[in-house]
Structure formats: structure tokens, C-alpha cells
Amino acid sequence: MAPIVLGIETSCDETGVGIVRGTELLANVIASSMAEHARYGGVVPEVAARAHLEALDGTIAEAVSTAGITLQDIDAVAVTCGPGLAGALMVGVAAAKGLALSLDVPLYAVNHLVGHVGAELLSADKPLELPTIALLVSGGHTSLLHVRDLVSDVEMLGETVDDAAGEAFDKVARVLGLPYPGGPHIDKLAAAGDPNAIRFPRGLSKSSDMAAHRYDFSFSGLKTSVARWVEKRTALGEEVPHADVAASFREAVCDVLLTKAVNACVDRGVPRLLLGGGVVANQRLRELAAERCQAAGIELRIPPFSLCTDNGAMIASLGAQLIMAGKEPSTLSFGADSTLPVTEVQVH
């Protein structure tokens, strides 16, 4: 029988607890502290850690109730041990260790980024074939992975060298006077704008960049370009077309993300692309992904939005895969690792 696994995710500002039975989703409960961070215009690590501490007990209880089980029915506990905010990770790791000890069940310390790929196993109408290229886009991460085997062979092809895409959305939102988090507000504003009105730069996309950074991302220059463009118009006393700025900025981000992702699929001979992370909620990113993948003959996989953002179900899913692959559980000696490399699917 497939194992029942409880997963805990506390890498950033969302306290996620999920429960799965193999690849069957039983519960996915998320308590977000985003509203607390909004007053600061971004995530404050100390605030996030305290919010996790306050939310975990109730979130675990709600997940168990939603799944229609008791804690004693759980076969194993899985937890994100990295990458992420150190203090936030420590809260989840400590809770998972305590829970596993109290229930006398094995504990699996897993990689947050690889967990996003595991989320697709819970939602697909048909099984996810491997290998796959995975594009993970969130507030803190923009990563391009080559996943040959979910539990043992994940390669980092490229990642952001400065701002992640989600961070760029938040910073441009501030330039345009929009509230935090910036992504949804820019997406809504951009719907009324012309994506071709302003040609903003595409970071690390020049031929001179491709040798060393073919799969890497850079959004800091794009963010600065938007800010300078708005400042110049304002200084001249000209009206700033906010919708056009938002649409043109969004188009630049989506263009870079998908150009590099499709290039990776073609270069590696992998006919499928998986999208994950909170920024995948962006409507234009989803539309352009569908267009580019169809043109290139690539299968596009996107989990439901509830499984794209950080959540405990994806961590439970990865834990279940490790168990079913016969991997040994983690020891209690592991700690939180804010810079955990994606090649380490599990920490022992």
C-alpha cells in the first residue's frame, strides 16, 4: 500500500502542510503571512519565522482533519530543509523532527526546489514522464532544471544571477505605485497595456552572453531600465502610461524565461517542460508557454495554482517518492540549509 506522508514546508512566507497517499492528494493547507509582510514591501525573515511558529500547530491539525485521518495513520514525515530563509526553515525542521519522534515514524529532509517537480505527480491526468525540463519561477527563485530521475538525478542548468523574477515584479510594482506582492497587480494592469509599446532589455540573452550564461537569468538590469524609463518621463512632465509599462515589462520577463526554457528542451532533446512556482500564476507566462511549446513540439505541464505556490503537499509527494524508491530516511542530525544545492534531493 502506498505510504501516507505528511509534508511540512516553511521556506519563505507560507506555512504549508500537505498529506498524500503515494500520488493521491489528501490535504493541502496553507497559512500565508503575506499580509504581515505587505507593510514592509517584502518578506522580512524574522517576521516569517515567527509566523510559521504561530501557524504550524493549527495548520497540521487542519491538514489531518481535511485528510480524514489521525496523526497515528501517518507513515512518514517529510520537511523542506532548504533552500530558503534560514530562520523560517529552522522552524519547519524542528517541528518535523518533533513530530516524527513523537509518532515514531521515519523522517525525510528534502529539497524545496525538487519538491515543485513532485507537485505535478499529484495533479496530472496522466503520469509525468521523465526526463523533463523544469522552469521554477517564484519570489526567491528562478531556476531551470534537468530532471532525469526525481529522487536521484536532478541537474541545475541555470538560475538567476541577481534578482529572481518574482523580486523584479515586486520592485517594478513599487516603481508604478502598486502594492505588494507585485505580481498579481502588474498582471492585472498589464492586461490593458501594449506589450510591444516599450522594448525593455532581455537580460543575458545577447550572443555574447550565451556561452557562459545560456540558461542563466538576470532581471536586475530590466528592473533598473523600467525605473529609469519612468523617472525620465516623470522628469519631463510627461504622463507615464502605466499599463504599457507593466505589459512591456511583463513581456520582457516572460520572453526571457521561455526562450531559455525552450532552448533547454531542444538542446537536451527533452520534449516536455514543467512550470512551477508562484509566478506561474501570471496569465501571460502561461499563454506564451503554451504558444512556444506548441510551436516547438514540446509537451507543457503546469500543476494547478494551489500546487504551484510553496506548499506542503509537494514536499509530502517528494517524500513518498523517496520511500517508494527504497531510499533510507534522514537522520536527526540534519539542519536547515538556506543554500542547499538542487543536486541534493534528500539530506541525510
Side-chain angles (χ1 to χ4, degrees), residues 42-198:
V43 176
V44 180
E46 293 81 0
V47 173
R50 185 168 61 249
H52 289 311
L53 190 60
E54 294 172 351
L56 258 174
D57 278 354
T59 309
I60 291 172
E62 184 177 348
V64 170
S65 175
T66 300
I69 63 171
T70 67
L71 282 173
Q72 285 65 39
D73 294 320
I74 292 168
D75 297 311
V77 174
V79 64
T80 296
C81 65
L85 301 174
L89 289 167
M90 288 170 64
V91 175
V93 166
K97 288 181 178 181
L99 185 60
L101 278 171
S102 68
L103 297 176
D104 192 25
V105 297
L107 176 62
Y108 290 79
V110 305
N111 191 297
H112 166 79
L113 294 180
V114 183
H116 277 293
V117 182
E120 174 64 13
L121 301 176
L122 302 174
S123 64
D125 294 329
K126 60 177 180 176
L128 174 66
E129 292 184 51
L130 295 175
T132 186
I133 299 298
L135 174 63
L136 308 180
V137 193
S138 67
H141 300 282
T142 303
S143 307
L144 196 56
L145 314 181
H146 187 174
V147 184
R148 300 180 187 86
D149 186 290
L150 187 61
V151 300
S152 64
D153 191 355
V154 180
E155 178 186 0
M156 175 73 80
L157 296 180
E159 58 187 335
T160 184
V161 299
D162 43 51
D163 287 347
E167 291 174 306
F169 271 95
D170 290 336
K171 290 175 179 179
V172 169
R174 284 202 293 272
V175 170
L176 297 177
L178 300 173
Y180 174 87
H185 297 286
I186 286 183
D187 205 23
K188 183 177 180 180
L189 181 60
D194 178 3
N196 300 310
I198 310 159

Side-chain angles (χ1 to χ4, degrees), residues 240-321:
V240 175
H242 286 71
D244 286 348
V245 173
S248 298
F249 162 74
R250 183 179 69 169
E251 193 71 10
V253 173
C254 294
D255 184 18
V256 169
L257 290 172
L258 292 167
T259 295
K260 289 177 178 278
V262 170
N263 282 346
C265 290
V266 173
D267 295 346
R268 295 299 180 105
V270 178
R272 61 193 63 85
L273 174 64
L274 169 67
L275 301 187
V279 179
V280 175
N282 186 282
Q283 186 61 35
R284 181 56 182 157
L285 181 61
R286 299 168 82 98
E287 290 173 357
L288 194 58
E291 292 172 14
R292 298 276 181 93
C293 286
Q294 183 176 22
I298 295 168
E299 178 190 8
L300 177 64
R301 304 291 290 260
I302 307 176
F305 179 62
S306 62
L307 293 174
C308 283
T309 56
D310 293 345
N311 64 86
M314 69 185 193
I315 302 305
S317 174
L318 181 52
Q321 291 300 310

